[in-house]
Amino acid sequence: MKKIGFIGLGNMGKGMSINLSKQNLEIIGYDINDNAYKNLKNTKILIANNLNHLISESEIIITMLPDGIAVKKVWSEMMPFSKTGQYFIDCSTIDVKTSKSVQIIAKEKGLLTLDAPVSGGVIGADQGTLTFMVGGASKTYNEMKFLFEIMGKNSILCGEEGSGQSAKICNNMLLASTMIAVGESFNLGKNLGLDLNKLFDVISTSTGSCWAVNSYCPIKGIGPNSPADKDYEGGFATALMYKDLGLAVDAAAETKSKINYGIQTYEKYKEVTENNKGNLDFSNIINE
Ligand code: NAD
């Protein structure tokens, strides 16, 4: 039975590790916050005493951590205990530079690495329907694809190390901007006296259709169930979207890419996050 170490058992890591544990795999988990273990009661997931314990028990190590600082810290703490031929997969969303640099160091130690950030949110993590955007060697990707098939429904090898992170920030910058545009469109419809259910029926089947409307409509009572129906609780936090937009803005500056809407979008999410609403789902942006 393959042994997998899973580090970072928060909103996303919980569902992902539980889905792995339901297969013929042995999962050992680790998190600096003991509260994370409460969600793993009644599962087959074992808990590691520390990183050294986890790495000595695992052939494959997956990290699902908040940001690049945490990934750099955890990966560098693991390096002295790592063994040639172990697989290290980072599923967190982090900056391309850090992703490349931690993988270069790991490869010098004989480790096989991938960056594999995800799309699909907490629901996707719980239901095993995530999309993985992967960067790294195709041989390593093919060997690890079975894990992406358990935790998700799509995985795309985007290119060399860091490419998964590059694809992720492009996707999220587009989603963040789209959500603002969806809010403006529905607001205009409301002010014109339209029944918003009718407007949803039109947009979701017309050229304006997009994931933010069809699958995640940000207006209470309209379209499929979404965080808007729970007063924007849960879902994908505004602060995390702001973090991802920051990664996109930095990457655009480094590559001299023009992202006018991206910068305006970044400024808006920054304002809302700094206005103490960073914990609400990002679709709340339509109300701000
Ligand atoms: P989270 O904060 O809920 O979970 C992160 C976990 O990592 C926490 O339990 C935390 O205690 C743990 N952690 C932090 N530092 C650690 C360390 N040094 N050692 C061990 N554990 C440590 O965050 P999340 O929502 O699960 O997101 C994780 C990553 O996935 C982020 O990079 C985020 O951008 C990305 N992401 C999140 C979503 C979403 O909808 N929440 C969607 C797509 C991608």
mmCIF file with all atom_site columns, all heavy atoms in Angstrom, residues 47-74:
data_model
loop_
_atom_site.group_PDB
_atom_site.id
_atom_site.type_symbol
_atom_site.label_atom_id
_atom_site.label_alt_id
_atom_site.label_comp_id
_atom_site.label_asym_id
_atom_site.label_entity_id
_atom_site.label_seq_id
_atom_site.pdbx_PDB_ins_code
_atom_site.Cartn_x
_atom_site.Cartn_y
_atom_site.Cartn_z
_atom_site.occupancy
_atom_site.B_iso_or_equiv
_atom_site.pdbx_formal_charge
_atom_site.auth_seq_id
_atom_site.auth_comp_id
_atom_site.auth_asym_id
_atom_site.auth_atom_id
_atom_site.pdbx_PDB_model_num
ATOM 1   N N   . ILE A 1 47 ? -1.920 10.440 12.376 1.00 0.00 ? 47 ILE A N   1
ATOM 2   C CA  . ILE A 1 47 ? -1.370 11.774 12.645 1.00 0.00 ? 47 ILE A CA  1
ATOM 3   C C   . ILE A 1 47 ? 0.122  11.651 12.954 1.00 0.00 ? 47 ILE A C   1
ATOM 4   O O   . ILE A 1 47 ? 0.526  10.836 13.792 1.00 0.00 ? 47 ILE A O   1
ATOM 5   C CB  . ILE A 1 47 ? -2.097 12.431 13.847 1.00 0.00 ? 47 ILE A CB  1
ATOM 6   C CG1 . ILE A 1 47 ? -3.621 12.518 13.591 1.00 0.00 ? 47 ILE A CG1 1
ATOM 7   C CG2 . ILE A 1 47 ? -1.509 13.797 14.170 1.00 0.00 ? 47 ILE A CG2 1
ATOM 8   C CD1 . ILE A 1 47 ? -4.027 13.294 12.363 1.00 0.00 ? 47 ILE A CD1 1
ATOM 9   N N   . ALA A 1 48 ? 0.922  12.483 12.280 1.00 0.00 ? 48 ALA A N   1
ATOM 10  C CA  . ALA A 1 48 ? 2.376  12.457 12.515 1.00 0.00 ? 48 ALA A CA  1
ATOM 11  C C   . ALA A 1 48 ? 2.708  13.308 13.733 1.00 0.00 ? 48 ALA A C   1
ATOM 12  O O   . ALA A 1 48 ? 2.072  14.332 13.973 1.00 0.00 ? 48 ALA A O   1
ATOM 13  C CB  . ALA A 1 48 ? 3.098  12.994 11.288 1.00 0.00 ? 48 ALA A CB  1
ATOM 14  N N   . ASN A 1 49 ? 3.735  12.884 14.490 1.00 0.00 ? 49 ASN A N   1
ATOM 15  C CA  . ASN A 1 49 ? 4.152  13.668 15.660 1.00 0.00 ? 49 ASN A CA  1
ATOM 16  C C   . ASN A 1 49 ? 4.859  14.949 15.221 1.00 0.00 ? 49 ASN A C   1
ATOM 17  O O   . ASN A 1 49 ? 4.786  15.970 15.884 1.00 0.00 ? 49 ASN A O   1
ATOM 18  C CB  . ASN A 1 49 ? 5.149  12.866 16.510 1.00 0.00 ? 49 ASN A CB  1
ATOM 19  C CG  . ASN A 1 49 ? 4.561  11.543 16.925 1.00 0.00 ? 49 ASN A CG  1
ATOM 20  O OD1 . ASN A 1 49 ? 3.357  11.438 17.131 1.00 0.00 ? 49 ASN A OD1 1
ATOM 21  N ND2 . ASN A 1 49 ? 5.404  10.516 17.025 1.00 0.00 ? 49 ASN A ND2 1
ATOM 22  N N   . ASN A 1 50 ? 5.564  14.861 14.107 1.00 0.00 ? 50 ASN A N   1
ATOM 23  C CA  . ASN A 1 50 ? 6.304  16.011 13.578 1.00 0.00 ? 50 ASN A CA  1
ATOM 24  C C   . ASN A 1 50 ? 6.653  15.733 12.114 1.00 0.00 ? 50 ASN A C   1
ATOM 25  O O   . ASN A 1 50 ? 6.338  14.663 11.595 1.00 0.00 ? 50 ASN A O   1
ATOM 26  C CB  . ASN A 1 50 ? 7.572  16.272 14.404 1.00 0.00 ? 50 ASN A CB  1
ATOM 27  C CG  . ASN A 1 50 ? 8.375  14.990 14.593 1.00 0.00 ? 50 ASN A CG  1
ATOM 28  O OD1 . ASN A 1 50 ? 8.556  14.225 13.633 1.00 0.00 ? 50 ASN A OD1 1
ATOM 29  N ND2 . ASN A 1 50 ? 8.838  14.738 15.809 1.00 0.00 ? 50 ASN A ND2 1
ATOM 30  N N   . LEU A 1 51 ? 7.317  16.704 11.487 1.00 0.00 ? 51 LEU A N   1
ATOM 31  C CA  . LEU A 1 51 ? 7.636  16.548 10.059 1.00 0.00 ? 51 LEU A CA  1
ATOM 32  C C   . LEU A 1 51 ? 8.583  15.375 9.822  1.00 0.00 ? 51 LEU A C   1
ATOM 33  O O   . LEU A 1 51 ? 8.451  14.638 8.844  1.00 0.00 ? 51 LEU A O   1
ATOM 34  C CB  . LEU A 1 51 ? 8.284  17.830 9.528  1.00 0.00 ? 51 LEU A CB  1
ATOM 35  C CG  . LEU A 1 51 ? 7.356  19.010 9.260  1.00 0.00 ? 51 LEU A CG  1
ATOM 36  C CD1 . LEU A 1 51 ? 8.156  20.201 8.748  1.00 0.00 ? 51 LEU A CD1 1
ATOM 37  C CD2 . LEU A 1 51 ? 6.270  18.646 8.251  1.00 0.00 ? 51 LEU A CD2 1
ATOM 38  N N   . ASN A 1 52 ? 9.543  15.209 10.715 1.00 0.00 ? 52 ASN A N   1
ATOM 39  C CA  . ASN A 1 52 ? 10.516 14.106 10.584 1.00 0.00 ? 52 ASN A CA  1
ATOM 40  C C   . ASN A 1 52 ? 9.776  12.761 10.556 1.00 0.00 ? 52 ASN A C   1
ATOM 41  O O   . ASN A 1 52 ? 10.053 11.892 9.722  1.00 0.00 ? 52 ASN A O   1
ATOM 42  C CB  . ASN A 1 52 ? 11.496 14.188 11.762 1.00 0.00 ? 52 ASN A CB  1
ATOM 43  C CG  . ASN A 1 52 ? 12.623 13.189 11.612 1.00 0.00 ? 52 ASN A CG  1
ATOM 44  O OD1 . ASN A 1 52 ? 12.660 12.455 10.627 1.00 0.00 ? 52 ASN A OD1 1
ATOM 45  N ND2 . ASN A 1 52 ? 13.534 13.168 12.572 1.00 0.00 ? 52 ASN A ND2 1
ATOM 46  N N   . HIS A 1 53 ? 8.816  12.609 11.489 1.00 0.00 ? 53 HIS A N   1
ATOM 47  C CA  . HIS A 1 53 ? 8.018  11.385 11.559 1.00 0.00 ? 53 HIS A CA  1
ATOM 48  C C   . HIS A 1 53 ? 7.261  11.181 10.242 1.00 0.00 ? 53 HIS A C   1
ATOM 49  O O   . HIS A 1 53 ? 7.303  10.103 9.643  1.00 0.00 ? 53 HIS A O   1
ATOM 50  C CB  . HIS A 1 53 ? 7.050  11.493 12.752 1.00 0.00 ? 53 HIS A CB  1
ATOM 51  C CG  . HIS A 1 53 ? 6.132  10.331 12.901 1.00 0.00 ? 53 HIS A CG  1
ATOM 52  N ND1 . HIS A 1 53 ? 4.908  10.435 13.514 1.00 0.00 ? 53 HIS A ND1 1
ATOM 53  C CD2 . HIS A 1 53 ? 6.221  9.036  12.509 1.00 0.00 ? 53 HIS A CD2 1
ATOM 54  C CE1 . HIS A 1 53 ? 4.303  9.262  13.495 1.00 0.00 ? 53 HIS A CE1 1
ATOM 55  N NE2 . HIS A 1 53 ? 5.082  8.391  12.891 1.00 0.00 ? 53 HIS A NE2 1
ATOM 56  N N   . LEU A 1 54 ? 6.619  12.254 9.763  1.00 0.00 ? 54 LEU A N   1
ATOM 57  C CA  . LEU A 1 54 ? 5.824  12.140 8.529  1.00 0.00 ? 54 LEU A CA  1
ATOM 58  C C   . LEU A 1 54 ? 6.703  11.727 7.344  1.00 0.00 ? 54 LEU A C   1
ATOM 59  O O   . LEU A 1 54 ? 6.370  10.797 6.599  1.00 0.00 ? 54 LEU A O   1
ATOM 60  C CB  . LEU A 1 54 ? 5.137  13.477 8.229  1.00 0.00 ? 54 LEU A CB  1
ATOM 61  C CG  . LEU A 1 54 ? 4.315  13.505 6.938  1.00 0.00 ? 54 LEU A CG  1
ATOM 62  C CD1 . LEU A 1 54 ? 2.987  14.216 7.160  1.00 0.00 ? 54 LEU A CD1 1
ATOM 63  C CD2 . LEU A 1 54 ? 5.063  14.184 5.803  1.00 0.00 ? 54 LEU A CD2 1
ATOM 64  N N   . ILE A 1 55 ? 7.829  12.367 7.214  1.00 0.00 ? 55 ILE A N   1
ATOM 65  C CA  . ILE A 1 55 ? 8.659  12.123 6.028  1.00 0.00 ? 55 ILE A CA  1
ATOM 66  C C   . ILE A 1 55 ? 9.296  10.732 6.065  1.00 0.00 ? 55 ILE A C   1
ATOM 67  O O   . ILE A 1 55 ? 9.473  10.090 5.028  1.00 0.00 ? 55 ILE A O   1
ATOM 68  C CB  . ILE A 1 55 ? 9.691  13.258 5.838  1.00 0.00 ? 55 ILE A CB  1
ATOM 69  C CG1 . ILE A 1 55 ? 10.201 13.262 4.416  1.00 0.00 ? 55 ILE A CG1 1
ATOM 70  C CG2 . ILE A 1 55 ? 10.810 13.226 6.796  1.00 0.00 ? 55 ILE A CG2 1
ATOM 71  C CD1 . ILE A 1 55 ? 10.872 14.533 4.029  1.00 0.00 ? 55 ILE A CD1 1
ATOM 72  N N   . SER A 1 56 ? 9.573  10.241 7.283  1.00 0.00 ? 56 SER A N   1
ATOM 73  C CA  . SER A 1 56 ? 10.172 8.900  7.370  1.00 0.00 ? 56 SER A CA  1
ATOM 74  C C   . SER A 1 56 ? 9.150  7.813  7.031  1.00 0.00 ? 56 SER A C   1
ATOM 75  O O   . SER A 1 56 ? 9.511  6.702  6.686  1.00 0.00 ? 56 SER A O   1
ATOM 76  C CB  . SER A 1 56 ? 10.764 8.667  8.762  1.00 0.00 ? 56 SER A CB  1
ATOM 77  O OG  . SER A 1 56 ? 9.709  8.652  9.688  1.00 0.00 ? 56 SER A OG  1
ATOM 78  N N   . GLU A 1 57 ? 7.849  8.153  7.100  1.00 0.00 ? 57 GLU A N   1
ATOM 79  C CA  . GLU A 1 57 ? 6.775  7.172  6.856  1.00 0.00 ? 57 GLU A CA  1
ATOM 80  C C   . GLU A 1 57 ? 6.222  7.244  5.427  1.00 0.00 ? 57 GLU A C   1
ATOM 81  O O   . GLU A 1 57 ? 5.362  6.451  5.082  1.00 0.00 ? 57 GLU A O   1
ATOM 82  C CB  . GLU A 1 57 ? 5.600  7.449  7.807  1.00 0.00 ? 57 GLU A CB  1
ATOM 83  C CG  . GLU A 1 57 ? 5.876  7.200  9.272  1.00 0.00 ? 57 GLU A CG  1
ATOM 84  C CD  . GLU A 1 57 ? 5.954  5.715  9.581  1.00 0.00 ? 57 GLU A CD  1
ATOM 85  O OE1 . GLU A 1 57 ? 5.204  4.945  8.973  1.00 0.00 ? 57 GLU A OE1 1
ATOM 86  O OE2 . GLU A 1 57 ? 6.795  5.343  10.425 1.00 0.00 ? 57 GLU A OE2 1
ATOM 87  N N   . SER A 1 58 ? 6.652  8.244  4.625  1.00 0.00 ? 58 SER A N   1
ATOM 88  C CA  . SER A 1 58 ? 5.935  8.521  3.374  1.00 0.00 ? 58 SER A CA  1
ATOM 89  C C   . SER A 1 58 ? 6.799  8.367  2.127  1.00 0.00 ? 58 SER A C   1
ATOM 90  O O   . SER A 1 58 ? 7.962  8.784  2.117  1.00 0.00 ? 58 SER A O   1
ATOM 91  C CB  . SER A 1 58 ? 5.391  9.952  3.384  1.00 0.00 ? 58 SER A CB  1
ATOM 92  O OG  . SER A 1 58 ? 4.753  10.230 4.600  1.00 0.00 ? 58 SER A OG  1
ATOM 93  N N   . GLU A 1 59 ? 6.174  7.818  1.080  1.00 0.00 ? 59 GLU A N   1
ATOM 94  C CA  . GLU A 1 59 ? 6.856  7.775  -0.235 1.00 0.00 ? 59 GLU A CA  1
ATOM 95  C C   . GLU A 1 59 ? 6.558  9.055  -1.004 1.00 0.00 ? 59 GLU A C   1
ATOM 96  O O   . GLU A 1 59 ? 7.340  9.517  -1.810 1.00 0.00 ? 59 GLU A O   1
ATOM 97  C CB  . GLU A 1 59 ? 6.334  6.592  -1.061 1.00 0.00 ? 59 GLU A CB  1
ATOM 98  C CG  . GLU A 1 59 ? 6.648  5.228  -0.471 1.00 0.00 ? 59 GLU A CG  1
ATOM 99  C CD  . GLU A 1 59 ? 5.692  4.158  -0.991 1.00 0.00 ? 59 GLU A CD  1
ATOM 100 O OE1 . GLU A 1 59 ? 5.649  3.941  -2.209 1.00 0.00 ? 59 GLU A OE1 1
ATOM 101 O OE2 . GLU A 1 59 ? 4.994  3.550  -0.157 1.00 0.00 ? 59 GLU A OE2 1
ATOM 102 N N   . ILE A 1 60 ? 5.340  9.577  -0.760 1.00 0.00 ? 60 ILE A N   1
ATOM 103 C CA  . ILE A 1 60 ? 4.891  10.783 -1.465 1.00 0.00 ? 60 ILE A CA  1
ATOM 104 C C   . ILE A 1 60 ? 4.472  11.801 -0.410 1.00 0.00 ? 60 ILE A C   1
ATOM 105 O O   . ILE A 1 60 ? 3.756  11.436 0.536  1.00 0.00 ? 60 ILE A O   1
ATOM 106 C CB  . ILE A 1 60 ? 3.676  10.459 -2.362 1.00 0.00 ? 60 ILE A CB  1
ATOM 107 C CG1 . ILE A 1 60 ? 4.027  9.355  -3.368 1.00 0.00 ? 60 ILE A CG1 1
ATOM 108 C CG2 . ILE A 1 60 ? 3.151  11.705 -3.057 1.00 0.00 ? 60 ILE A CG2 1
ATOM 109 C CD1 . ILE A 1 60 ? 2.813  8.709  -4.032 1.00 0.00 ? 60 ILE A CD1 1
ATOM 110 N N   . ILE A 1 61 ? 4.909  13.053 -0.576 1.00 0.00 ? 61 ILE A N   1
ATOM 111 C CA  . ILE A 1 61 ? 4.511  14.095 0.386  1.00 0.00 ? 61 ILE A CA  1
ATOM 112 C C   . ILE A 1 61 ? 3.754  15.187 -0.366 1.00 0.00 ? 61 ILE A C   1
ATOM 113 O O   . ILE A 1 61 ? 4.234  15.702 -1.381 1.00 0.00 ? 61 ILE A O   1
ATOM 114 C CB  . ILE A 1 61 ? 5.739  14.684 1.114  1.00 0.00 ? 61 ILE A CB  1
ATOM 115 C CG1 . ILE A 1 61 ? 6.298  13.614 2.067  1.00 0.00 ? 61 ILE A CG1 1
ATOM 116 C CG2 . ILE A 1 61 ? 5.374  15.910 1.939  1.00 0.00 ? 61 ILE A CG2 1
ATOM 117 C CD1 . ILE A 1 61 ? 7.590  13.091 1.695  1.00 0.00 ? 61 ILE A CD1 1
ATOM 118 N N   . ILE A 1 62 ? 2.562  15.501 0.144  1.00 0.00 ? 62 ILE A N   1
ATOM 119 C CA  . ILE A 1 62 ? 1.742  16.563 -0.459 1.00 0.00 ? 62 ILE A CA  1
ATOM 120 C C   . ILE A 1 62 ? 1.656  17.717 0.530  1.00 0.00 ? 62 ILE A C   1
ATOM 121 O O   . ILE A 1 62 ? 1.391  17.500 1.714  1.00 0.00 ? 62 ILE A O   1
ATOM 122 C CB  . ILE A 1 62 ? 0.318  16.048 -0.778 1.00 0.00 ? 62 ILE A CB  1
ATOM 123 C CG1 . ILE A 1 62 ? 0.387  14.887 -1.767 1.00 0.00 ? 62 ILE A CG1 1
ATOM 124 C CG2 . ILE A 1 62 ? -0.565 17.175 -1.325 1.00 0.00 ? 62 ILE A CG2 1
ATOM 125 C CD1 . ILE A 1 62 ? -0.958 14.220 -2.052 1.00 0.00 ? 62 ILE A CD1 1
ATOM 126 N N   . THR A 1 63 ? 1.885  18.953 0.043  1.00 0.00 ? 63 THR A N   1
ATOM 127 C CA  . THR A 1 63 ? 1.684  20.116 0.912  1.00 0.00 ? 63 THR A CA  1
ATOM 128 C C   . THR A 1 63 ? 0.494  20.927 0.406  1.00 0.00 ? 63 THR A C   1
ATOM 129 O O   . THR A 1 63 ? 0.319  21.095 -0.800 1.00 0.00 ? 63 THR A O   1
ATOM 130 C CB  . THR A 1 63 ? 2.951  21.007 0.968  1.00 0.00 ? 63 THR A CB  1
ATOM 131 O OG1 . THR A 1 63 ? 3.468  21.195 -0.348 1.00 0.00 ? 63 THR A OG1 1
ATOM 132 C CG2 . THR A 1 63 ? 4.020  20.387 1.834  1.00 0.00 ? 63 THR A CG2 1
ATOM 133 N N   . MET A 1 64 ? -0.340 21.398 1.360  1.00 0.00 ? 64 MET A N   1
ATOM 134 C CA  . MET A 1 64 ? -1.496 22.240 1.029  1.00 0.00 ? 64 MET A CA  1
ATOM 135 C C   . MET A 1 64 ? -1.526 23.355 2.070  1.00 0.00 ? 64 MET A C   1
ATOM 136 O O   . MET A 1 64 ? -2.290 23.319 3.038  1.00 0.00 ? 64 MET A O   1
ATOM 137 C CB  . MET A 1 64 ? -2.776 21.396 1.057  1.00 0.00 ? 64 MET A CB  1
ATOM 138 C CG  . MET A 1 64 ? -3.975 22.120 0.443  1.00 0.00 ? 64 MET A CG  1
ATOM 139 S SD  . MET A 1 64 ? -3.582 22.721 -1.207 1.00 0.00 ? 64 MET A SD  1
ATOM 140 C CE  . MET A 1 64 ? -5.136 23.227 -1.837 1.00 0.00 ? 64 MET A CE  1
ATOM 141 N N   . LEU A 1 65 ? -0.660 24.345 1.856  1.00 0.00 ? 65 LEU A N   1
ATOM 142 C CA  . LEU A 1 65 ? -0.367 25.368 2.863  1.00 0.00 ? 65 LEU A CA  1
ATOM 143 C C   . LEU A 1 65 ? -0.844 26.741 2.400  1.00 0.00 ? 65 LEU A C   1
ATOM 144 O O   . LEU A 1 65 ? -1.107 26.941 1.212  1.00 0.00 ? 65 LEU A O   1
ATOM 145 C CB  . LEU A 1 65 ? 1.147  25.373 3.115  1.00 0.00 ? 65 LEU A CB  1
ATOM 146 C CG  . LEU A 1 65 ? 1.661  24.046 3.716  1.00 0.00 ? 65 LEU A CG  1
ATOM 147 C CD1 . LEU A 1 65 ? 3.175  23.920 3.578  1.00 0.00 ? 65 LEU A CD1 1
ATOM 148 C CD2 . LEU A 1 65 ? 1.239  23.921 5.171  1.00 0.00 ? 65 LEU A CD2 1
ATOM 149 N N   . PRO A 1 66 ? -0.948 27.701 3.331  1.00 0.00 ? 66 PRO A N   1
ATOM 150 C CA  . PRO A 1 66 ? -1.557 28.991 2.960  1.00 0.00 ? 66 PRO A CA  1
ATOM 151 C C   . PRO A 1 66 ? -0.795 29.764 1.887  1.00 0.00 ? 66 PRO A C   1
ATOM 152 O O   . PRO A 1 66 ? -1.419 30.349 1.006  1.00 0.00 ? 66 PRO A O   1
ATOM 153 C CB  . PRO A 1 66 ? -1.566 29.778 4.267  1.00 0.00 ? 66 PRO A CB  1
ATOM 154 C CG  . PRO A 1 66 ? -1.303 28.808 5.349  1.00 0.00 ? 66 PRO A CG  1
ATOM 155 C CD  . PRO A 1 66 ? -0.627 27.623 4.753  1.00 0.00 ? 66 PRO A CD  1
ATOM 156 N N   . ASP A 1 67 ? 0.542  29.823 1.983  1.00 0.00 ? 67 ASP A N   1
ATOM 157 C CA  . ASP A 1 67 ? 1.270  30.717 1.063  1.00 0.00 ? 67 ASP A CA  1
ATOM 158 C C   . ASP A 1 67 ? 2.713  30.257 0.844  1.00 0.00 ? 67 ASP A C   1
ATOM 159 O O   . ASP A 1 67 ? 3.161  29.251 1.415  1.00 0.00 ? 67 ASP A O   1
ATOM 160 C CB  . ASP A 1 67 ? 1.243  32.155 1.610  1.00 0.00 ? 67 ASP A CB  1
ATOM 161 C CG  . ASP A 1 67 ? 1.697  32.216 3.055  1.00 0.00 ? 67 ASP A CG  1
ATOM 162 O OD1 . ASP A 1 67 ? 2.550  31.383 3.450  1.00 0.00 ? 67 ASP A OD1 1
ATOM 163 O OD2 . ASP A 1 67 ? 1.213  33.077 3.800  1.00 0.00 ? 67 ASP A OD2 1
ATOM 164 N N   . GLY A 1 68 ? 3.423  31.048 0.033  1.00 0.00 ? 68 GLY A N   1
ATOM 165 C CA  . GLY A 1 68 ? 4.795  30.697 -0.334 1.00 0.00 ? 68 GLY A CA  1
ATOM 166 C C   . GLY A 1 68 ? 5.730  30.657 0.868  1.00 0.00 ? 68 GLY A C   1
ATOM 167 O O   . GLY A 1 68 ? 6.659  29.845 0.917  1.00 0.00 ? 68 GLY A O   1
ATOM 168 N N   . ILE A 1 69 ? 5.480  31.535 1.847  1.00 0.00 ? 69 ILE A N   1
ATOM 169 C CA  . ILE A 1 69 ? 6.349  31.569 3.037  1.00 0.00 ? 69 ILE A CA  1
ATOM 170 C C   . ILE A 1 69 ? 6.252  30.230 3.772  1.00 0.00 ? 69 ILE A C   1
ATOM 171 O O   . ILE A 1 69 ? 7.258  29.627 4.155  1.00 0.00 ? 69 ILE A O   1
ATOM 172 C CB  . ILE A 1 69 ? 5.961  32.752 3.966  1.00 0.00 ? 69 ILE A CB  1
ATOM 173 C CG1 . ILE A 1 69 ? 6.207  34.075 3.233  1.00 0.00 ? 69 ILE A CG1 1
ATOM 174 C CG2 . ILE A 1 69 ? 6.716  32.713 5.283  1.00 0.00 ? 69 ILE A CG2 1
ATOM 175 C CD1 . ILE A 1 69 ? 5.597  35.302 3.887  1.00 0.00 ? 69 ILE A CD1 1
ATOM 176 N N   . ALA A 1 70 ? 5.012  29.749 3.934  1.00 0.00 ? 70 ALA A N   1
ATOM 177 C CA  . ALA A 1 70 ? 4.804  28.468 4.638  1.00 0.00 ? 70 ALA A CA  1
ATOM 178 C C   . ALA A 1 70 ? 5.404  27.306 3.839  1.00 0.00 ? 70 ALA A C   1
ATOM 179 O O   . ALA A 1 70 ? 6.038  26.403 4.408  1.00 0.00 ? 70 ALA A O   1
ATOM 180 C CB  . ALA A 1 70 ? 3.310  28.241 4.882  1.00 0.00 ? 70 ALA A CB  1
ATOM 181 N N   . VAL A 1 71 ? 5.230  27.339 2.518  1.00 0.00 ? 71 VAL A N   1
ATOM 182 C CA  . VAL A 1 71 ? 5.758  26.239 1.690  1.00 0.00 ? 71 VAL A CA  1
ATOM 183 C C   . VAL A 1 71 ? 7.285  26.207 1.764  1.00 0.00 ? 71 VAL A C   1
ATOM 184 O O   . VAL A 1 71 ? 7.889  25.144 1.964  1.00 0.00 ? 71 VAL A O   1
ATOM 185 C CB  . VAL A 1 71 ? 5.278  26.378 0.221  1.00 0.00 ? 71 VAL A CB  1
ATOM 186 C CG1 . VAL A 1 71 ? 5.978  25.372 -0.688 1.00 0.00 ? 71 VAL A CG1 1
ATOM 187 C CG2 . VAL A 1 71 ? 3.766  26.195 0.137  1.00 0.00 ? 71 VAL A CG2 1
ATOM 188 N N   . LYS A 1 72 ? 7.903  27.377 1.651  1.00 0.00 ? 72 LYS A N   1
ATOM 189 C CA  . LYS A 1 72 ? 9.370  27.447 1.709  1.00 0.00 ? 72 LYS A CA  1
ATOM 190 C C   . LYS A 1 72 ? 9.876  26.912 3.060  1.00 0.00 ? 72 LYS A C   1
ATOM 191 O O   . LYS A 1 72 ? 10.835 26.147 3.118  1.00 0.00 ? 72 LYS A O   1
ATOM 192 C CB  . LYS A 1 72 ? 9.798  28.908 1.525  1.00 0.00 ? 72 LYS A CB  1
ATOM 193 C CG  . LYS A 1 72 ? 11.231 29.071 1.159  1.00 0.00 ? 72 LYS A CG  1
ATOM 194 C CD  . LYS A 1 72 ? 11.487 30.502 0.745  1.00 0.00 ? 72 LYS A CD  1
ATOM 195 C CE  . LYS A 1 72 ? 12.967 30.698 0.479  1.00 0.00 ? 72 LYS A CE  1
ATOM 196 N NZ  . LYS A 1 72 ? 13.270 32.054 0.102  1.00 0.00 ? 72 LYS A NZ  1
ATOM 197 N N   . LYS A 1 73 ? 9.169  27.307 4.135  1.00 0.00 ? 73 LYS A N   1
ATOM 198 C CA  . LYS A 1 73 ? 9.565  26.884 5.479  1.00 0.00 ? 73 LYS A CA  1
ATOM 199 C C   . LYS A 1 73 ? 9.465  25.360 5.619  1.00 0.00 ? 73 LYS A C   1
ATOM 200 O O   . LYS A 1 73 ? 10.407 24.689 6.020  1.00 0.00 ? 73 LYS A O   1
ATOM 201 C CB  . LYS A 1 73 ? 8.649  27.578 6.501  1.00 0.00 ? 73 LYS A CB  1
ATOM 202 C CG  . LYS A 1 73 ? 8.948  27.282 7.943  1.00 0.00 ? 73 LYS A CG  1
ATOM 203 C CD  . LYS A 1 73 ? 8.093  28.168 8.856  1.00 0.00 ? 73 LYS A CD  1
ATOM 204 C CE  . LYS A 1 73 ? 8.433  27.976 10.314 1.00 0.00 ? 73 LYS A CE  1
ATOM 205 N NZ  . LYS A 1 73 ? 8.043  26.669 10.838 1.00 0.00 ? 73 LYS A NZ  1
ATOM 206 N N   . VAL A 1 74 ? 8.295  24.831 5.239  1.00 0.00 ? 74 VAL A N   1
ATOM 207 C CA  . VAL A 1 74 ? 8.048  23.393 5.431  1.00 0.00 ? 74 VAL A CA  1
ATOM 208 C C   . VAL A 1 74 ? 8.972  22.559 4.524  1.00 0.00 ? 74 VAL A C   1
ATOM 209 O O   . VAL A 1 74 ? 9.574  21.593 4.972  1.00 0.00 ? 74 VAL A O   1
ATOM 210 C CB  . VAL A 1 74 ? 6.555  23.063 5.187  1.00 0.00 ? 74 VAL A CB  1
ATOM 211 C CG1 . VAL A 1 74 ? 6.324  21.573 5.118  1.00 0.00 ? 74 VAL A CG1 1
ATOM 212 C CG2 . VAL A 1 74 ? 5.692  23.692 6.281  1.00 0.00 ? 74 VAL A CG2 1
#
